[in-house]
Each structure stands twice: as structure tokens, then as C-alpha cells.
Amino acid sequence: MTLPERQLANAIRALAMDAVQAANSGHPGMPMGMADVATVLYSDYLKFDPTDPKWADRDRFVLSAGHGSMLAYATLHLAGYARPTIDDIRNFRQLNSPCAGHPENFELEGIETTTGPLGQGLATAVGMAIAERHLNALYGDDLVDHRTWVIAGDGCLMEGINHEAIGLAGHLQLGRMTVLWDDNKITIDGSTDLSTSEDIAARYAATGWHVECCDGHDPVDIRRAIDAAIADPRPSLIACRTIIGFGAPNKQGTSATHGAPLGADEIAAARTELGWSADPFVIPADIAAAWAAFGEKGKALHAEWNDRLSSNEKKKEFEDRLSGKIVPGDAFKAYLDGLVAEPPKVATRKASENTLSALTADIAALVGGSADLTGSNNTKTPSTKPLTKGDYSGRYIYYGIREFGMAAAMNGMALHGGIVPYGGTFLVFADYCRAAIRLSALQQQRVVYVMTHDSIGLGEDGPTHQPIEHLQSLRAMPNLLVMRPADAVETAECWALALAQEGRPSLLALTRQNLPPQRHDVTENLCEKGGYRLRAASAARKVVLVATGSEVALALDIADKIEAAGHGADVVSMVSTELFDEQDAAYQADILPPDALIVSIEAGTTFGWERYTGRNGLRFGIDSFGASAPIDDLYAHFGLTVDAITPRILAKLGN
């Protein structure tokens, strides 16, 4: 006997009600409202194998409305994934349960991406859809032939990142991406009428999307809308008209179901309303069997795919690509040798471009882009032709003025697999994409942020474009590797380090202005230590000058003056405080000895440098906003010159 689909959907509703009630915390309304849509999606459309959550050709399903996390946990459990177990769900939102308040991909294999900040799940899914089309263009339908599905709420569609994401998806005509909008007209504050009157469907249509509407509680109508989406070559938005908290007779359709437990009385009433007599956290055997059957279809599709892979001439290349193991090759080695033979005086943004030219020639997985600053960020190379709706095999994405959308899409590409994404903008605009950078770090994804114009050194554009607090604020972010190289050799070494970071993102802070060469030896990647002694004192060491990026050259000139006054001065290039902090205590003490005066020099805020200088050290930087002027005038104005800094160091030394 075939069970009514409403009963299968009610299993989601029951688990959502019970888990939120047990935790006394959570959002039952969305899972209850979208249960019918999710049931149809899993039963007839979503391609997955619960025994292998990382199958390369699975569909990607993203719950962008992450507050409704119980929808994801319930469907994963019902569909036969090893976790979450019923005990995991019973401990929803509790310490050490993988069923966190919002879905976290590092807790459960069936969760494709960490969501929570509204809109980012949808924007991340755009990157997944780009990755699928790119790899399909390279390996064909036999190996890459899947879809990207998103469940999003009103909040996801209101957030500013949504505009960036859907504009990019529409422009690239990502027809294998479908967004199922939980159109319940309720937010935490109440009816959406309180805060919005826009025509969302018209907005999506205007950006090149196909739009459908359906009754989100009618399986026949849901299937009709999904079938129409699949048939259309454009990305699709399906407005699923639903009732939030469906089945809770006294609270459904109101914000009371959005972010709080229903309460024992309302849950009892809902069980009666839904015809659900099972005890809390118990799924009747016939319903459990019906859900398990959905996963069996995916296992068969997976087996067929394995057969195709085994006989495909690109099998090894494809598996190597998906493994994520990448190593710079002959072009990169030749480039390093050239730096030693002819040390260039170039901006580190240009040194980055030169490095990338070698790396992209070696590594096909590198896919780059820029937020409309290609000529300034120097992120395009001869090996990276544009990725367009007419040719997805390209490796360079013109993101437009969409810094946040770019960063989120790069997360999606990295999460999808087979791509190592990098993207450029100005360092000051890290603020625009900080929330996505944070998710890169939280999810431990290898994403490379190329941030140029890294200081007042950009000159006349003025304080709105001159980063001051940005380096230190980014260094404060857990699991983000921030690197500020001082010349072309350090830039190349930083790129090699960024690509080696399989468990964290990297950010390269690069100059607009030319910098003289400092390093003339590439036998060892010294940047790997984070901070290293670039030049040792020639006299008895009394002071250690610690500088980053463009200020390393300044520190070397200051060291000359200090040594001329009879004091030995080491110069340390502190490329990355994160990497330096990872070294053992003996190394750190050798580089920053306790008996020396430690002086930091960086064209940014001095906040935080006391970690290395101590309270008795000196810190030279900028603790105000910048100004609009030529570069030399700015460095003089802010006291970042040999003549301004040297006397203060000598005075501290007792001269």
C-alpha cells in the first residue's frame, strides 16, 4: 500500500516539533511549512546516496533558511544517512550534538554548507552551480550531471547578498539551479507586510530567472512547478505558497511558530490535527520504510555512475581533480628561478599576477575572478579565459561589483570540489565580503582572497579606500591565514602557502606601489615560518624591527641608521602573524628575543602589535583614517619615514 504523502511529510513535522520542544529553543515553523515540498524533492527529484554523502555527482541541496535546521536533520535521518541518529535529533541544539542550531557542514556529512546568516546559503549555492557547469564542460554528462537545490525563506530573499547572487546566476544562466522559496509571508516581527512590498517574482524575472508559483502543500502542484523549472534553461525560483507552522491549529500562519517551541498543549493539538499518534521521536515503521526507499533509488544511480567512471578515459584526471591535491609544477619553479636571476622591483599585486601566470599554467583547478577590478587586482592570466554562459570551460569569472556575492560563490565552488577558487578586490572592501570570509574560515575551505591596495600607499583615492584597521581585524578572525608579502619572492611563497592550506582560507594583502626586491634566495620557503629574520644585526643586537609588506624596505633603511649609531638591529619580515604564532616557543624567542627592544612598523593600526613588542616596545603605524595625497606625502604626514622613526628608537635606546 502506498502511503499518503502527507503522512511522509508529517514525519518531518513531528520531528521538528519534538526536537525544538525538547531543546526549548529553535524554529519549528519553517520545517512544518516546507515539509510537503521537501518530501516531494526527496522522493522524486533529489539525487543522493545516503551511504556515500560525498558522491561527486550527487545533487547539492542547500537549506539557506538555516534557522529551520530541523528540516535538514529530519530529512537526512529519514532518508537513511548514518547521522543524524534519532539520539542526535533528541539532543538538538545541545553541546556535542551534530544537530546544531543552524546546519554546519563540518558536523554532518549530509549538510553541504554551513548556513545561518540569511542569504549566504543561496549565494553559496550559486558557486556550487558554477562549479557543476564548469566541470561538466570539462568531463561531460557521464561524470558531471547534477543539480543544485535551495530552500530559502523571505529573509534570504531580502538580504542584500541575494541581489548580488541572483544577478550573477541569471547572467551566467545557471539553469541547473532551483530555489524553492518558502513563501509564507511571515518573519520574526510578524507579517512581511510590515517591512516589504516589493514584487520578488518580478525582481527575479528581471535578473534573468525563470519564475514559477505553486501551492506548497499540494504535491501535484509542487511537481508541476519543479518539472517546469527543470525544463527551463534559466535558473528558477519557485514561490511555494505555504503556511508557517502547518498543522499547529492555534499558531500556524503566525510568527508565534517562527522562533520558539510550540508548547506541550499546541504539540498535542497538532498531533491530533495531523493524525500523528506516534510518541515523540518515534517514526512508524511503514513511514520509515517509505522514506528509506527514496535513498535506494540514489544508490542505483550511483552504481551506474561508478560503471561510467570506471570506463572513462579521464577517470584518473577526474579523481585527482576531486581529491583536492594540488602541487605547483615546472612553470612555478621556473618562475622562482627567474626571480633570483633578475630580481624585479614591482608592486606585490603585479608579483601576484606573475605568480598566478605560472600557477594557472600548472594547475587546471585554479579558477579566478575579480569584483570588477581585474586590471587593478591583476588576477587574470593567459591561462584563464572567461567563464561565460556560452562557455563554462573558462577559468576566469567577471563577478561585477559584487564583493560579497563573489566571496560566497567562491565558498560554494570550494565546497563543491574540483575547484580552488581565488578572487580579487581592494583590501578596504574586505568589509563588504567579511561575512563570507568568516564562513570560509568556519568551514575550513581553501579559498584565496587577493586583496590589493593594502595601505595608504594607494595614494590619492583617500581615506574611503585606504585600509587602516583591516589587517588587524582580519587577523583576529579564527582560521584565516592573512599574509602581507614584502617583495616578489615573498609573494610567490605566499601563493604556494595559500594553495597548501586545505583546511583554511588565505588572504593576500598586496601593494599598489612598486617595492624593491628583498629576497634573493628561494631554496627554502621562509614565509612558512610567518616571521623570519630577513637581515641580522652586524653589531651586538639591541633592537628588532618587525615590519610587514611595503614597510619592510622602510625597516631596512631604519636599521642602517641605527647600526650607524652603534646599535645592532635585526629586521624581521612578519609575513603572517598566524603562521608565526604556530611556531614553537624556541623559534619565536629566537626571532623576538626578550633582551631586545622590539619595534613594529606597519602602515595600519598599531592595535594588537603589543603582543609582539610588549608594553615597553615601540609601535609605528596609523591610528586615524588616511588622507588623499600622493604616496610620499602620506608616508611623511603619518610619520612613517626613516627620519621620523629613527630618532624615537635611538631615544628609547638611550642615545
Side-chain angles (χ1 to χ4, degrees), residues 120-201:
Q120 277 208 66
L122 190 155
T124 301
V126 171
M128 294 177 179
I130 292 172
E132 188 276 339
R133 286 291 82 194
H134 177 69
L135 294 173
N136 173 270
L138 301 179
Y139 297 105
D141 290 347
D142 278 355
L143 299 186
V144 184
D145 184 21
H146 53 267
R147 296 183 173 274
T148 303
W149 305 90
V150 180
I151 286 183
D154 289 298
C156 296
L157 275 55
M158 288 186 195
E159 288 283 1
I161 191 174
N162 181 259
H163 301 259
E164 297 185 26
I166 68 171
L168 180 62
H171 176 70
L172 292 176
Q173 202 166 325
L174 301 176
R176 289 184 160 247
M177 178 176 179
T178 301
V179 175
L180 300 157
W181 168 27
D182 180 19
D183 182 17
N184 60 37
K185 302 194 183 302
I186 294 292
T187 64
I188 289 176
D189 279 353
S191 169
T192 53
D193 291 341
L194 294 170
S195 57
T196 183
S197 55
E198 66 181 301
D199 186 337
I200 291 173

Side-chain angles (χ1 to χ4, degrees), residues 520-560:
H520 304 280
D521 181 6
V522 295
T523 56
E524 179 185 359
N525 188 329
L526 295 179
C527 290
E528 189 173 19
K529 299 289 188 181
Y532 67 95
R533 189 175 292 112
L534 177 62
R535 194 171 79 190
S538 57
R541 179 180 56 208
K542 294 294 181 66
V543 61
V544 177
L545 304 176
V546 182
T548 76
S550 49
E551 286 69 70
V552 170
L554 174 61
L556 288 165
D557 291 341
I558 293 168
D560 290 340

